[in-house]
Amino acid sequence: MALSWGDLPAGRVLRLAGVDSRIDANVMELLLDPLPETGPAVVTYTATDGDSASGVVESILRELETLAIGLFPAWLPGGERLSGPGGGGVAAARILATSLASGTRHFAPFLADLAARAIQHGGPLVPGQRVPTGRSFPAESRAAGLARVIASTFGRESAALVVYVPERPASREETFLVAGCEWLAHRSGMGIWLVGPELSRVETFHLEVPSAVRRLAEEMTAPPPIATAGVPPIAGRPHAGSAVERAMEAALAERAWAHGRTWNQMYHSKDPLFVMIRTDLMWVPEKCVVELDGPEHETPAQMERDRIRDRHLERDGFTVLRFTNQQVMSDLGAVLRHIEEFLRGRRLGMNEGAG
C-alpha cells in the first residue's frame, strides 16, 4: 500500500497481509482510525459462519443496513430537521431522499425506504439491534444502495469493507465466505478486503505498512476487540452510534463556554514518526482533548494504545481529560464542570500571556 487506500482495487476480493499475523488486527485498527484522508470510506465486519454464500451476503447486508440507519441523517441533507416516527416525518424523509436521488447515483426507492426506516426507528441503533423492516428489495439493489450511502456519508466516491476472519474456516465455510464476498464485491462495487489467514482463491495484497504503525502495533501486546460491524465516526460530528457523545454534545450546545469545540477530528502530531490521532472532542486553541471511554478501553490492548496516544498529545502541549461513559451518563454535570474549569483556566492563562 503506497500510503493510500485508493491504490487498492474496488469491486474485488483481496486478502490484506504484510505483517506478523499476531498484530494484523492492531495494524488495521491503527490504519483505519482515523479514516484515511484519501481512498474509500472503509467499514469493518467480523466474519461469522454461514451455511451458504447467500447466507453470508444476507448477514453482511443486514449489518450494513444497521450501520446506514445509525449514520442517519448524515447522508440525507436536511434530515436533521426531521423527528418522530409520525407520518409527517416519514413522508418528509421520503421526499428529501427522492429529491437527493434525482441528482445523484442513489436508487430513489431504496434511499427513500431507508430514510423512512431511520425516522421510524427514531434514533441510532445500538450494537446487535436489528433494523426496522421496510420494503423488500433484491439483494443487488441493497448492496449497491448501501455502498453508495456509506460512501456519500464520508464524502468519498466509493466504499470498502474490511472483513476480519478470526481463524481459518473449514473448507465448506471458506467456500461460502469467499463466494459471498465475491458476489458482494461485484454487485456493490465495494472493495472487499479480508484480514486473517490465507484463503483459497483469494489474491493476497501485501501492505507496505508505515514504520510508525508497525512500531505501535508491536508495542500493543493484544489485539483490540472487534465488533461484528463497525463504521468510523464522521469528522465534526459526535459518533452516530454513541449515545454518550450525543448526550455530551446536546449539553455542550447549551453552554457558551463550550464554543470552539470540534468532534472526531484528525490531529497530526508534531512527531514525524507518529501516526495521525483521532480525538473524541478537542478545543484546539486551549490545547484540550477530551476522551470518552467505553468498556473496551478497559482491555489491556486499548489501555496501552490510549497511553501511547496520550503521551504524544502531551508532548505536543495538550492536556488529555478522560472520562468513562458511566461518568458521563450518571453525573454529566460534574464532567461538564471539570471541563469548564479547565478551559476557563487555560483561557485566562492565554489572555494573560497575550497581555
Side-chain angles (χ1 to χ4, degrees):
M1 182 181 71
L3 303 184
S4 172
W5 289 94
D7 293 337
L8 294 175
R12 288 176 53 191
V13 178
L14 301 171
R15 173 180 171 265
L16 301 184
V19 292
D20 179 85
S21 60
R22 180 181 64 83
I23 57 174
D24 270 343
N26 288 332
V27 167
M28 295 305 299
E29 181 82 358
L30 292 168
L31 288 174
L32 294 175
D33 187 6
L35 184 68
E37 294 178 301
T38 59
V42 183
V43 297
T44 59
Y45 172 78
T46 300
T48 56
D49 292 336
D51 56 4
S52 65
S54 60
V56 169
V57 169
E58 180 58 30
S59 177
I60 294 175
L61 290 179
R62 283 199 306 267
E63 293 297 336
L64 292 182
E65 285 181 341
T66 299
L67 293 179
I69 287 178
L71 289 169
F72 181 86
W75 45 265
L76 184 64
E80 65 278 358
R81 297 192 297 271
L82 306 177
S83 62
V90 170
R94 290 185 181 277
I95 292 171
L96 281 177
T98 302
S99 175
L100 174 64
S102 66
T104 64
R105 297 186 303 120
H106 289 292
F107 177 45
F110 175 79
L111 193 69
D113 184 71
L114 194 66
R117 292 158 72 189
I119 290 293
Q120 288 169 338
H121 175 70
L125 294 156
V126 299
Q129 188 174 0
R130 295 295 93 197
V131 298
T133 28
R135 280 184 57 185
S136 178
F137 289 91
E140 293 89 341
S141 299
R142 294 166 65 201
L146 290 166
R148 289 169 186 154
V149 165
I150 291 169
S152 65
T153 298
F154 295 92
R156 307 299 171 94
E157 292 297 320
S158 61
L161 181 69
V162 168
V163 179
Y164 292 104
V165 185
E167 56 186 22
R168 181 69 182 263
S171 176
R172 186 166 176 266
E173 283 71 27
E174 179 179 330
T175 298
F176 295 150
L177 174 64
V178 173
C181 287
E182 287 178 341
W183 185 95
L184 190 61
H186 176 67
R187 298 293 182 171
S188 69
M190 291 191 296
I192 308 292
W193 303 331
L194 308 179
V195 175
E198 291 188 30
L199 300 173
S200 304
R201 300 186 297 113
V202 177
E203 179 184 359
T204 295
F205 189 99
H206 288 273
L207 295 174
E208 296 176 13
V209 179
S211 58
V213 172
R214 184 181 292 108
R215 174 172 53 84
L216 286 174
E218 289 171 347
E219 289 182 28
M220 297 163 66
T221 56
I226 301 172
T228 303
V231 64
I234 303 168
R237 294 172 176 257
H239 197 301
S242 172
V244 172
E245 290 191 14
R246 298 197 316 275
M248 175 74 87
E249 172 57 22
L252 291 173
E254 298 177 352
R255 288 163 169 79
W257 58 260
H259 65 85
R261 65 191 178 280
T262 179
W263 284 97
N264 290 305
Q265 293 285 1
M266 291 185 291
Y267 172 72
H268 300 259
S269 173
K270 295 177 182 177
D271 183 348
L273 298 179
F274 194 66
V275 295
M276 290 185 295
I277 300 170
R278 178 186 60 78
T279 60
D280 288 345
L281 179 59
M282 179 165 56
W283 282 263
V284 177
E286 295 85 352
K287 287 192 172 294
C288 173
V289 169
V290 173
E291 294 291 327
L292 307 177
D293 296 342
E296 69 277 5
H297 286 263
E298 299 175 5
T299 65
Q302 190 61 49
M303 290 175 66
E304 200 167 0
R305 185 181 176 197
D306 290 342
R307 178 183 57 79
I308 294 168
R309 283 164 40 97
D310 291 356
R311 186 178 67 208
H312 282 271
L313 284 165
E314 289 163 0
R315 285 177 181 174
D316 286 357
F318 283 86
T319 296
V320 181
L321 307 178
R322 286 190 173 273
F323 303 96
T324 65
N325 286 358
Q326 179 62 29
Q327 285 177 293
V328 174
M329 299 308 281
S330 64
D331 196 354
L332 180 56
V335 171
L336 295 175
R337 285 192 295 273
H338 190 158
I339 298 172
E340 179 184 7
E341 181 180 349
F342 176 85
L343 289 175
R344 291 190 184 282
R346 184 60 61 90
R347 288 166 180 163
L348 179 62
M350 291 165 61
N351 291 337
E352 290 177 346

